Amino acid sequence: MMENLIQELQERLGEEGLKLQEMMKEHTTFRVGGPADLFLQPKDAEELKDAIGILEKYQVPVLVIGNGSNLLVRDKGIRGAVIQIYNRMADISVEEDIIVAKGGALLSAVAAKAADASLTGLEFASGIPGSIGGAVVMNAGAYGGEMKDVLVSVDVLTKDLEIKTIPAEELELGYRHSIVPEAGYIVLGAKLKLQKGEEAAIRGRMAELAEQRREKQPLQYPSAGSTFKRPEGYFAGKLVQDAGLKGKTIGGAQVSEKHSGFLINIGGATAQDILDLIAFCQKEVKEQFGVTLETEVKIVGEV
């Protein structure tokens, strides 16, 4: 059965679009994670649709990812198929004040295109290390801006393998939330509406935010950004710091000394090191302050 499945996928996706036993540490910003049985990179919506149809026929579980910037994959890897919507589906086009980007386009690339076109409103996203698809899924935001401020609509592939355009107001965009996961949608692309601005001012603001990030965040180490969601009334990083955990290390995983909201891979970390450090931080913060820290990073893979 596996041979037939692989043959069908290879015929549809070609060599470039299908890899076997691909190490997920190559596709996550944490740089950890074991092998995925099947790793697919479709080049367009039709290829994606056909690939999912084949996987469903063989009853193979599917995980869809972007560039892996908010993902922690366990060391045993992922059974089934991982579909990555990334650099093979990353076109960006600009017309007047509208930007249309495929789901795999990096936010930083979309923000750069906006600056090229003297369009303001996306400066906040210039340093967020995610794809448009991932940004829509979690309503990514920073420095007072978020995706819901600029999003007009998204094109999605539904569970029934239909391509639909969904207006932004129907996505229930909130803090790090949209209905995309619950509805079983796969984001194929997004339409954003910005405002005309001054290119120099836009680039100036982007440079200012980049400098703030360099000062405050451990960008030189692999991480998945903020590890924990912001608990209501608190800041996760401050809770972790106040619990005395800045610099706490387990194996190759460390609570960043620069920003306690970031857990980082200081070299040779396993996914288990990071998971153990997450659990340790959660336990200490709960015991000391009575606050439950929830992970912002998505944890997947075989236990």
Side-chain angles (χ1 to χ4, degrees), residues 130-191:
S131 64
I132 279 286
V136 169
V137 168
M138 63 180 294
N139 185 31
Y143 299 107
E146 52 189 344
M147 288 303 292
K148 75 173 183 180
D149 301 334
V150 295
L151 194 64
V152 175
S153 62
V154 290
D155 292 334
V156 300
L157 186 66
T158 69
K159 284 192 286 196
D160 300 324
L161 302 185
E162 292 178 318
I163 295 171
K164 280 188 174 174
T165 300
I166 314 280
E169 53 270 23
E170 291 179 19
L171 293 173
E172 294 177 22
L173 296 167
Y175 175 65
R176 301 296 178 266
H177 174 266
S178 75
I179 62 160
V180 172
E182 295 113 84
Y185 294 150
I186 297 172
V187 177
L188 302 172
K191 181 190 279 191

Side-chain angles (χ1 to χ4, degrees), residues 74-124:
R74 294 186 179 93
D75 297 310
K76 288 182 182 175
I78 296 170
R79 305 291 70 82
V82 173
I83 298 177
Q84 186 185 45
I85 296 175
Y86 186 34
N87 51 9
R88 298 190 81 209
M89 288 178 67
D91 296 345
I92 305 164
S93 62
V94 184
E95 194 167 323
E96 296 184 350
D97 60 353
I98 298 291
I99 294 187
V100 176
K102 292 280 175 68
L106 286 177
L107 269 180
S108 54
V110 181
K113 280 271 193 188
D116 290 344
S118 301
L119 293 174
T120 182
L122 206 56
E123 291 88 335
F124 75 88

Side-chain angles (χ1 to χ4, degrees), residues 231 282 285-286 290-294:
Q282 288 172 321
V285 167
K286 181 71 172 174
V291 179
T292 300
L293 287 180
E294 291 180 33

